[in-house]
Amino acid sequence: MTCAELEERLAVAPLDTLDAAERAALAAHTEGCPPCTERLRALEAAYAWLEDAVSEEEEPLPAALRERIVAAAEEGRAPAATATKKPASGPKRIALSCSYCHGELPRGLSAFCAGCLAPHHADCFEEHGRCSAMGCGETRLIRREAIVAAARPRRRLASAIGFAAGLLVGALAGAGTMLYQENIHVTYDSKSVPIDVPVATRDLKPGEVVTKADITIQQFPYGVIDALGGTHFAANESDRLEGARVLAPIRAGQVFQGPHFVRPKITWETARDPLTGTWDGGAEWGEVIIEDGRGVYSANRGTGQGRLVLHDKGERVYSGTWGESAQRHGTLELTVAPDRSRVAGTWRAVAWGSSGPSSGTLAWTPRKESLPSGPEPIVGGRGALVAKRMEVLVEGLVGEIWLNGLPLPDAFRHTKSASGDARLEELAVDLREGDWLVFEVATDHSRVGRAFFGASAFDPAGAVAFATRSTGGWFACDDIERLGAFVSLRDGGTDRFATAAPSSSAAAFNTFLDGTTGEPIWGKRSTTWLKCVVSQAR
Amino acid sequence: MTAESELLVDANVDIGRLYDEHAPRVQRFLLGLRLRLDRSAIEDAVQETFLRLIRLLREPGASPSYDGSRPLGPYILGVARHVALDLCRRRPAVRLLEPHVSFATSGEPDAARSLEQRDLVERAMSALAPEQRTALVLRHVNGLPMEELATALDCSVPTARSRVENAARLFALELRRTGLERKELSS
């Protein structure tokens, strides 16, 4: 038989569906035909890779999932899809989108499943024939007019503005929650797309009024945000975030561990403006890093979680600039009590949203354990010069880089080359003994286990001073809760070494970074933070 | 597929036990499809599979129905297959990302080639229609024997065989088109 005649059989051979005679004929042919043997080998390699990829990505399913399913079986009906995504505590953010097409669902068009109240476009519901919420299957639909008519007598429960939303989301989120509509502005690539959806930023106590919410979403220039599974954002495939809808709870400052690198920064004002009130380390706060009399206030830079990290030298008045954008630009003065138990000060914002210049005072009493203790923090630049320049190769993306706890300005970073998902960056930094660098790196979720990060630092003579290794000097952090200390303290989070990236990446790494002695590393998740503490050249 | 074949269709099915035994297989199936789902989407799909299963086992009139005489394992994968197909219909086709990192030009070919090949395999997978993908993955990743594959695909054994072989042929063709074989050959 000729190669062409056997081609079809060859293609299905790895699936083991051939009978004995077909297998024998194939074997007889490939034995004397190196090209066909080679093709069969390549095909088998492709199939083997598919299996490997699955094994690499396989993770134990969370116990909560099993509990939900068993509970649903016991109840005889499934939980509403939205309810299953509710976290045990913390701020809640729920918006309306059609359960079927996940499209935007203006209030006027909303209709609800009669069984589980899942919102739908009426025509989507009809197209699907039944409720599209998981496990529901109800075939009857409640249209909005009917709800409004039925609910009108109870209007006193909700404010006029958030009435319909409050009714719906209140039903889903449980009693005792009052919700209000806010105008959400999603900024993406300098486009500001106002979308009008009812949103609850968090549990609100009766009497509290949310007046404004700004969400800025920064996404690196590739990827499909839709691949987040619709759990956090859904965006049009063609236009990423245009018409984005927030679908699930979002914590302030949350960094999404999605397949792509999304960093929402969220600020809001309430009638109880946190900046003019008393801070209690609630979830909306970021960190303050104070060094050499300069205070840098950074709100929700992915390091939220109610952590105010002080990096100080005892009692003094600190002042400086804070913020990263025009909207947040301003000054901040802080006084830190000698025992570090209390921070008080004033702030003045040049512009805060649309409200123009404003100012106020603040007082903050941190929980004691949230303050770093121990020896005086090391300020960079004191030790002996170890390296003048660093090259960083990442299969994935490098986001923020912090040097000694402060963001490294873009001016010090230079992308030398990029190829596919790989990037080679050069950092023009003096690295001295005792300095520490933190790299925020991310990759596509499906490539976790293949992504790598490698770096080499070069001394003034151009020789490699030190490089990435998994055996010491380089550390990884995958836990957002610990990121504040990891970034701002030299010794924060140095209990976990970075792990070696797959050996397959080592060759590419060594080829690209000429003369390096390092090995590629990574953390555990798709977004991870890697840190090196500079010691003597090694 | 072991003792569960003796289970009857009734409300007393121990869902917890079924879940423990079959959820990992459902997960493998979903991962094998290379749909670029993140963890929470995978978990949602597993959940939906089991919620549908509960409904199907309780409503004998439901389709595809479970006749109680065949092993439940492939039937559950069949339910997962429907969940996955629904997911593909509901989501717009995921645009292919640019070819994976290629260091192929830089002297050291091995690692770079392996990265590149993985990407080619993913692209070839994504060129298959969802029905073809599911058949291929059930056979190859889940390792179903032909009878069970037929149960999962809800068709006869000869039909199942021709479906999975068609998928394999397309897969091979696509790999060839994107150049995996050529690169292999030229090395």
Side-chain angles (χ1 to χ4, degrees):
Chain A
M1 265 193 263
T2 67
C3 298
E5 283 167 330
L6 273 169
E7 186 172 333
E8 297 224 320
R9 218 169 273 178
L10 189 91
V12 303
L15 284 182
D16 201 20
T17 56
L18 298 177
D19 61 34
E22 290 168 322
R23 266 204 305 275
L26 183 66
H29 173 82
T30 49
E31 209 165 299
C33 179
C36 279
T37 308
E38 190 60 28
R39 284 187 54 202
L40 186 59
R41 206 185 59 72
L43 254 184
E44 277 166 351
Y47 277 99
W49 175 83
L50 187 59
E51 267 188 299
D52 290 350
V54 170
S55 303
E56 271 175 28
E57 290 169 22
E58 213 171 6
E59 281 178 32
L61 293 161
L65 178 60
R66 185 185 193 277
E67 284 162 22
R68 284 204 296 272
I69 288 166
V70 172
E74 278 162 10
E75 276 173 30
R77 60 183 296 275
T82 312
T84 62
K85 286 176 185 158
K86 205 166 61 177
S89 61
K92 293 177 180 60
R93 179 176 292 270
I94 303 170
L96 280 188
S97 76
C98 174
S99 309
Y100 181 67
C101 71
H102 297 284
E104 187 175 350
L105 190 53
R107 279 179 296 149
L109 295 179
S110 52
F112 305 99
C113 165
C116 70
L117 286 185
H120 290 77
H121 291 111
D123 49 355
C124 280
F125 195 96
E126 275 156 26
E127 182 187 318
H128 193 51
R130 58 186 170 81
C131 176
S132 61
M134 279 186 281
C136 180
E138 173 62 53
T139 54
R140 289 163 304 159
L141 185 66
I142 303 173
R143 284 168 203 278
R144 185 171 170 275
E145 300 78 30
I147 300 176
V148 174
R152 190 156 282 140
R154 281 175 288 162
R155 187 166 183 151
R156 63 192 159 82
L157 287 175
S159 76
I161 194 167
F163 169 61
L167 179 70
L168 168 73
V169 187
L172 295 176
T177 304
M178 269 179 89
L179 299 159
Y180 297 86
Q181 180 174 352
E182 297 169 11
N183 288 320
I184 304 293
H185 292 268
V186 177
T187 311
Y188 173 63
D189 268 354
S190 74
K191 263 186 294 186
S192 183
V193 186
I195 53 174
D196 182 16
V197 289
V199 163
T201 46
R202 57 194 175 106
D203 276 342
L204 299 169
K205 296 190 189 77
E208 245 180 303
V209 179
V210 173
T211 54
K212 188 163 93 59
D214 287 327
I215 301 178
T216 305
I217 294 161
Q218 182 186 342
Q219 193 198 9
F220 277 75
Y222 83 114
V224 277
I225 198 161
D226 169 69
L228 285 167
T231 52
H232 297 297
F233 294 96
N236 292 335
E237 172 71 15
S238 57
D239 208 356
R240 303 299 178 267
L241 279 179
E242 196 147 4
R245 292 164 296 280
V246 181
L247 299 177
I250 296 176
R251 298 188 308 273
Q254 179 173 0
V255 170
F256 287 94
Q257 299 285 343
H260 302 289
F261 195 45
V262 181
R263 292 193 301 181
K265 298 169 190 171
I266 303 173
T267 63
W268 61 81
E269 293 171 22
T270 69
R272 185 181 67 96
D273 189 330
L275 277 177
T276 59
T278 300
W279 300 3
D280 60 2
E284 56 266 59
W285 296 106
E287 60 181 333
V288 174
I289 300 168
I290 296 161
E291 190 177 86
D292 284 345
R294 261 173 15 98
V296 175
Y297 174 74
S298 154
N300 305 312
R301 290 186 54 84
T303 55
Q305 308 293 324
R307 206 170 287 253
L308 181 66
V309 178
L310 286 176
H311 195 157
D312 72 347
K313 299 180 196 167
E315 184 179 22
R316 65 195 288 179
V317 175
Y318 299 99
S319 62
T321 59
W322 56 278
E324 318 134 56
S325 67
Q327 281 203 331
R328 294 196 220 149
H329 178 73
T331 55
L332 174 68
E333 288 191 355
L334 288 179
T335 308
V336 183
D339 63 357
R340 303 182 179 187
S341 64
R342 192 178 148 76
V343 182
T346 58
W347 62 275
R348 184 176 180 286
V350 172
W352 184 273
S354 58
S355 58
S358 53
S359 60
T361 58
L362 60 91
W364 181 70
T365 307
R367 288 186 297 269
K368 271 202 168 134
E369 65 271 18
S370 70
L371 288 170
S373 56
E376 194 170 284
I378 292 190
V379 174
R382 288 180 175 176
L385 184 68
V386 174
K388 288 289 284 180
R389 184 172 75 82
M390 192 170 209
E391 283 193 357
V392 173
L393 175 66
V394 66
E395 158 64 14
L397 297 158
V398 190
E400 194 77 81
I401 300 175
W402 294 269
L403 174 59
N404 298 330
L406 295 172
L408 188 67
D410 286 345
F412 295 88
R413 301 173 55 172
H414 166 60
T415 301
K416 280 180 85 174
S417 64
S419 162
D421 287 344
R423 252 149 256 265
L424 179 64
E425 243 189 63
E426 188 178 37
L427 313 181
V429 286
D430 282 1
L431 294 175
R432 292 171 182 274
E433 216 179 312
D435 286 352
W436 68 102
L437 268 169
V438 175
F439 298 86
E440 182 176 47
V441 290
T443 185
D444 183 323
H445 182 90
S446 68
R447 300 199 199 284
V448 176
R450 281 174 270 159
F452 66 86
F453 169 91
S456 281
F458 299 89
D459 66 19
V464 175
F466 65 92
T468 40
R469 351 208 104 265
S470 59
T471 48
W474 287 82
F475 309 94
C477 171
D478 294 296
D479 183 359
I480 187 84
E481 304 271 349
R482 304 179 63 196
L483 184 60
F486 191 74
V487 167
S488 56
L489 300 178
R490 188 184 60 165
D491 298 324
T494 49
D495 51 341
R496 207 177 70 124
F497 287 150
T499 48
S503 55
S504 61
S505 56
F509 169 62
N510 287 321
T511 306
F512 222 89
L513 279 187
D514 204 20
T516 186
T517 53
E519 58 177 329
I521 57 172
W522 196 263
K524 283 199 177 133
R525 316 182 69 148
S526 57
T527 299
T528 192
W529 295 272
L530 300 167
K531 162 153 127 180
C532 80
V533 178
V534 179
S535 60
Q536 287 284 13
R538 55 191 157 196
Chain B
M1 315 307 134
T2 52
E4 79 274 14
S5 56
E6 61 209 35
L7 287 171
L8 293 177
V9 181
D10 65 24
N12 299 323
V13 174
D14 182 349
I15 285 295
R17 201 166 65 85
L18 284 186
Y19 176 87
D20 292 339
E21 184 170 354
H22 296 288
R25 294 174 197 175
V26 170
Q27 185 190 193
R28 278 188 75 78
F29 167 68
L30 293 166
L31 289 172
L33 295 174
R34 314 310 298 158
L35 291 176
R36 296 170 195 256
L37 302 174
D38 72 350
R39 280 312 300 173
S40 64
I42 293 276
E43 284 160 20
D44 282 353
V46 171
Q47 171 169 322
E48 167 131 29
T49 300
F50 280 89
L51 295 182
R52 274 195 205 181
L53 178 71
I54 294 166
R55 213 167 53 233
L56 289 167
L57 292 181
R58 283 183 182 155
E59 296 168 20
S63 168
S65 64
Y66 175 61
D67 67 10
S69 67
R70 293 193 284 183
L72 199 47
Y75 177 77
I76 294 175
L77 285 171
V79 177
R81 175 175 164 266
H82 280 286
V83 170
L85 292 178
D86 284 354
L87 210 58
C88 294
R89 273 194 283 275
R90 209 177 296 168
R91 287 154 48 100
V94 175
R95 192 177 59 86
L96 277 180
L97 302 176
E98 283 308 296
H100 200 53
V101 55
S102 61
F103 295 103
T105 50
S106 63
E108 181 65 61
D110 277 338
R113 252 210 358 252
S114 114
L115 290 174
E116 205 175 332
Q117 282 160 12
R118 288 172 163 208
D119 198 59
L120 291 177
V121 174
E122 291 227 317
R123 288 161 80 86
M125 269 305 270
S126 60
L128 299 186
E131 280 77 5
Q132 293 170 326
R133 272 201 228 196
T134 53
L136 197 71
V137 170
L138 286 169
R139 174 70 182 175
H140 178 68
V141 176
N142 289 100
L144 295 189
M146 289 315 290
E147 295 74 26
E148 299 191 353
L149 181 65
T151 305
L153 297 179
D154 201 22
C155 65
S156 69
V157 171
T159 311
R161 177 176 166 171
S162 94
R163 282 202 205 170
V164 75
E165 289 187 352
N166 278 337
R169 277 193 277 273
L170 256 167
F171 185 56
L173 208 65
E174 199 59 35
L175 284 172
R176 225 176 149 188
R177 201 178 64 73
T178 53
L180 177 63
E181 290 185 19
R182 197 170 56 246
K183 285 196 173 62
E184 283 288 322
L185 279 173
S186 64
S187 63

